[in-house]
Amino acid sequence: MNILILGAGGREHTLAWKLKQSAKLKNLFVAPGNAGTAAIATNIPIGVNDFEAIKKCVLAEKIDMVVVGPEDPLVNGVHDFFLSDANLKQIPVIGPQKAAATLEGSKQFAKEFMMRHQIPTAAYESFTADTLEKGYAFLESLNPPYVLKADGLAAGKGVLILNDLQEAKDELKTMLVDAKFGNASTTVVIEEFLDGIELSCFVLTDGINFKVLPTAKDYKRIGEGDTGLNTGGMGAISPVPFANNDFMQKVLERIVKPTVEGFKKDNLPYKGFVFIGLIKVGDDPKVIEYNVRMGDPETEVVIPRVKNDLVEVFQAVANQSLDKIDLEIDERAATTVMAVSGGYPEAYAKGMEITGFDAIDDAIVFHAGTQLKEGKVLTNGGRVLAVTAYGADFKDALSRSYKNIEKLQFDKMYYRKDLGFDL
Ligand code: AMP
Ligand code: GLY
């Protein structure tokens, strides 16, 4: 099989690393990819939303399957684009069609989906500029903290959690009237605050059958002790120690099954990953959000624990025969620690040379924001490298991730040294 992966981060490098291990794989392409994918696949310099260029590449390279990493092309309808083109429609795309991708593209759509299918989540109401006064009244009816969410995609920045009522009202107005997040905040969802510990559950579905993948927990804040600004994720661990069998049984019955059933009932074709952001409130799981793709850096700990041939698994997704696959999960824990560029998630420099790869022994370095230039690996993003290791438990794995990340260097490299502190 010839496979094309869309994306350029640690998630895509991990998927490439895993697909590469399959005897069924012939040629692997990544668009646009990074220095890590360049070492194991052919990078194609096209953007993930340039569907015409993707089509050209797919036909020229005789691609048999497309695996979509990030949400953007899914929300923009890349899967629908393939299905509507006579030359592309028989080529499987791993990632949902636009209608289901709206679960990530619109918070309001996701909330309505959960209400319709009785999936536990925070109580909410949504507002527009026309209903600003009603929004104020709703805020007054809630206890702090107040949770304000821009309805649309806002690059992970569209959620505000505020303690002060007046500040919450002011922010609501800024979002609705002054378009704080552009079109993404034309509608704002206000939610009940849920107090608990977060984790993520990953599901792979073919639209009929599904498989639950290992759980993971990521660390979103830039600073130690979960302080400072939100990032895309500073590291992750899998499995999540507090997600025991009882808890996961609740997740399965109350959330995963009704979600996949909901896709069927609502006629939302879905072949791909579902990333369910959960919060454990007391002993009960509630859904914080849906994403229609794998997480990053969660992929860097979830996929290395899947022992199956991933090409076979994706073929089963395409053929709707996932029920024939027995997932085999590595008993070991996996952790990843993200090395980021100084300044991230605010302004940071690019183009610094990265060294130390040769010294890595019992870890895997997945590239996130890197670029190969004249034989050198240079930084090319805020999140630069994810260092994944296995261990008997997360502490053991973390000690290996840390031992190895110390061997890597670039100017102003930073990483959190306290992952797992809360467990
Ligand atoms: P989201 O983009 O919906 O995942 O929200 C971003 C982050 O905000 C989540 O990872 C949570 O940490 C936090 N969050 C979102 N909704 C709530 C809520 N209802 N209660 C408490 N925290 C929340
Ligand atoms: N690590 C969070 C995400 O991928 O959205």
Side-chain angles (χ1 to χ4, degrees), residues 101-217:
T102 311
L103 281 174
E104 179 161 359
S106 163
K107 303 266 188 207
Q108 187 181 353
F109 180 88
K111 295 300 271 190
E112 287 169 357
F113 176 87
M114 288 185 262
M115 291 295 145
R116 206 159 44 242
H117 302 293
Q118 279 114 47
I119 295 166
T121 185
Y124 82 105
E125 280 192 37
S126 48
F127 302 93
T128 61
D130 292 340
T131 54
L132 181 63
E133 293 296 329
K134 286 191 179 139
Y136 290 159
F138 185 60
L139 284 171
E140 282 165 11
S141 77
L142 297 172
N143 295 319
Y146 305 96
V147 183
L148 271 50
K149 300 186 172 185
D151 177 57
L153 290 183
K157 297 194 170 65
V159 176
L160 302 178
I161 298 182
L162 304 161
N163 283 310
D164 182 71
L165 178 61
Q166 190 55 47
E167 201 187 338
K169 287 182 177 176
D170 293 345
E171 285 290 357
L172 180 65
K173 180 159 180 273
T174 315
M175 289 167 93
L176 291 175
V177 181
D178 307 328
K180 175 168 180 148
F181 299 104
N183 288 337
S185 63
T186 305
T187 298
V188 171
V189 170
I190 302 180
E191 275 188 18
E192 157 202 24
F193 179 82
L194 297 175
D195 196 7
I197 184 160
E198 285 178 57
L199 71 154
S200 302
C201 162
F202 299 91
V203 175
L204 184 61
T205 182
D206 59 15
I208 302 171
N209 312 287
F210 66 87
K211 296 286 167 189
V212 180
L213 299 169
T215 54
K217 174 166 175 45

Side-chain angles (χ1 to χ4, degrees), residues 1-4 22-29 61-66 92 311-312 314-315 318:
M1 289 216 41
N2 294 334
I3 298 183
L4 170 66
S22 170
K24 294 193 161 179
L25 183 84
K26 196 164 147 221
N27 296 311
L28 184 61
F29 299 86
E61 305 294 352
K62 300 192 166 50
I63 299 295
D64 303 298
M65 176 183 283
V66 177
V311 175
E312 253 170 44
F314 283 164
Q315 281 177 319

